Amino acid sequence: MKDLPSAANLRQSFEAAALEIVLTLAPMNKIPQTVFQQAFMGGVLLLAGYLAMYVMSFEMLLSAWTSLFILATVVVVMVKSLLEVRKKEDPLNFGRAFMLALLGGWLARLGYNVFNVLLFNVMRPDLKEAYAGLVIDKMEAAMASFSVGMEAAGIDVAEMNAALIDSLSIQGQLVDWLSSVFFLALLALIVAAILKRAPQSSQFEG
């Protein structure tokens, strides 16, 4: 009997298909330069923001608002990209608006992954264990508030620790960036639906 494809292989296939769709529907020669500019600025903002948090306190990298920081930055990049494109392309086709928003947000999020690669693989590789430990400690604290232990939930702490450390590798960060396309696609759908065309100016007929 032929072996079924593993979850990792399926995920890689989906990620490759998603990237192919992006490149097929939005050819490089048809992507406005402003999308790359906005993505670059967003990526630099994420990189600089995380570096600032690391300098202030290592624990800040896991603070509650870091995810909101990434989300807000990505959404701003999507919105600003479409607003700039819409100045020259109005009405903006929904499919094109979606792909451009997704591409801009996806490239901007790369700033977060670049930070992780620099910190945990170049600057301070020794912090991988500490970071994984912090993540597990926060998870244990959260579960304890519901009177549930890690073992009771069937979570292997040692296995999770190893997985977290592996996720901080260059390969792990690449997988994380590629995987983020699915969540970012949902954001891009919303942004594209709102900004696909400029608002009509109100006119009162006499």
Side-chain angles (χ1 to χ4, degrees):
M1 180 177 177
K2 188 176 181 180
D3 293 336
L4 294 175
S6 65
N9 289 335
L10 286 174
R11 182 173 61 180
Q12 290 176 358
S13 297
F14 280 124
E15 291 163 357
L19 181 58
E20 184 177 353
I21 291 173
V22 170
L23 297 179
T24 299
L25 297 183
M28 294 296 288
N29 63 344
K30 293 184 179 180
I31 300 176
Q33 187 177 6
T34 185
V35 175
F36 294 109
Q37 292 172 340
Q38 297 297 334
F40 176 76
M41 289 188 290
V44 170
L45 178 61
L46 285 176
L47 176 59
Y50 268 84
L51 281 173
M53 284 185 281
Y54 166 68
V55 170
M56 289 185 285
S57 172
F58 180 64
E59 287 76 13
M60 284 189 68
L61 298 179
L62 289 174
S63 61
W65 62 275
T66 51
S67 296
L68 292 177
F69 175 47
I70 297 176
L71 177 63
T73 302
V74 167
V75 170
V76 168
V77 168
M78 290 182 177
V79 171
K80 292 189 68 175
S81 295
L82 293 191
L83 287 177
E84 290 297 319
V85 172
R86 203 175 60 183
K87 291 178 180 179
K88 297 181 179 180
E89 302 179 31
D90 185 36
L92 183 60
N93 177 273
F94 174 76
R96 179 164 168 76
F98 166 70
M99 296 309 301
L100 293 179
L102 175 58
L103 182 61
W106 200 23
L107 291 176
R109 191 189 179 278
L110 192 57
Y112 163 73
N113 299 104
V114 170
F115 165 78
N116 285 334
V117 169
L118 287 176
L119 178 62
F120 296 110
N121 295 275
V122 179
M123 298 165 56
R124 295 290 304 274
D126 56 300
L127 287 179
K128 289 181 181 179
E129 288 275 1
Y131 184 86
L134 280 175
V135 172
I136 293 175
D137 288 344
K138 285 184 175 292
M139 182 175 293
E140 287 180 333
M143 295 181 69
S145 64
F146 295 98
S147 301
V148 178
M150 298 282 276
E151 293 183 0
I155 299 176
D156 188 323
V157 176
E159 184 177 336
M160 175 178 288
N161 186 75
L164 286 168
I165 292 175
D166 184 63
S167 72
L168 296 173
S169 66
I170 295 177
Q171 181 181 1
Q173 286 302 299
L174 178 60
V175 171
D176 175 75
W177 177 64
L178 292 173
S179 301
S180 69
V181 70
F182 300 106
F183 172 69
L184 296 180
L186 296 177
L187 293 179
L189 282 172
I190 298 172
V191 173
I194 297 173
L195 298 178
K196 62 180 179 179
R197 64 181 61 191
Q200 299 297 321
S201 58
S202 299
Q203 295 183 351
F204 296 94
E205 297 181 1

